[in-house]
Amino acid sequence: MKLSAKKIAFLSLLTGLGLISFLLEQAFPSPIAGTKLGISNLFSLFALVFAGYRGAILVTLSRTVLGSLFAGNPSLIIYSLTAGIASVTLSRFLLFFRKRISFVAVSVASAVSHNAVQLLIYSLLSGVPLREYLPFLALSGSVAGAFVGLSFVYAMKFLSRTAEFRAFREGVAA
């Protein structure tokens, strides 16, 4: 995979923003145990749309590994990396149907799959079946995915108005 300097800078920026948002979310307790908004996934979605599947995997891999190490919890890598790769892969597949599926729907499906994969990994490693927790995680994933998807749509509307973003987007795509 050959990356231009602009694409490397763009992916680095998305990784940094994703890492910052991940660490901020970790710093504040969630009102509902086991849930969070997953704002860092917004930056993986930007990477997927503007830098393709490989770029999104690089951003997800980088922010997950660094975030887990910075948060002082390397075991997060096992859960978050597997779920992150699965959700980016699902998102990429769903974006093939972009004319029929909205970014919000893609984000919701991605968030629900992320939660399901994390639950599956935990169940496989611990030997504790947690099927009862899946509906709750599907609901919380739907809410988080809708938030991230709507944030993406509104960010795109805002950014698309700026000449700098249009020029930068064209430069990254090249």
Side-chain angles (χ1 to χ4, degrees), residues 34-56:
T35 64
K36 63 179 189 158
L37 279 176
I39 298 168
S40 59
N41 295 317
L42 173 64
F43 304 103
S44 292
L45 184 55
F46 267 103
L48 183 59
V49 170
F50 294 109
Y53 179 71
R54 290 182 183 156

Side-chain angles (χ1 to χ4, degrees), residues 139-162:
L139 177 62
S140 67
S142 296
V143 171
F147 177 81
V148 168
L150 286 170
S151 298
F152 179 81
V153 169
Y154 287 117
M156 286 305 304
K157 284 182 182 180
F158 174 76
L159 291 171
S160 294
R161 295 182 200 155
T162 65

Side-chain angles (χ1 to χ4, degrees), residues 113-129:
S113 72
H114 189 277
N115 286 351
V117 169
Q118 282 189 327
L119 185 64
L120 175 67
I121 298 297
Y122 179 81
S123 293
L124 289 173
L125 292 176
S126 70
V128 178

Side-chain angles (χ1 to χ4, degrees), residues 70-137:
F70 289 169
N73 192 352
S75 66
L76 284 175
I77 294 172
I78 297 168
Y79 303 105
S80 296
L81 188 58
T82 308
I85 290 171
S87 65
V88 167
T89 302
L90 176 64
S91 295
R92 176 62 190 119
F93 173 75
L94 292 174
L95 285 176
F96 281 124
F97 306 101
R98 177 64 190 108
K99 293 181 181 174
R100 295 185 182 165
I101 300 175
S102 70
F103 284 116
V104 175
V106 169
S107 183
V108 167
S110 177
V112 171
S113 72
H114 189 277
N115 286 351
V117 169
Q118 282 189 327
L119 185 64
L120 175 67
I121 298 297
Y122 179 81
S123 293
L124 289 173
L125 292 176
S126 70
V128 178
L130 296 171
R131 290 181 297 273
E132 307 81 32
Y133 201 45
L134 191 57
F136 172 73
L137 286 178

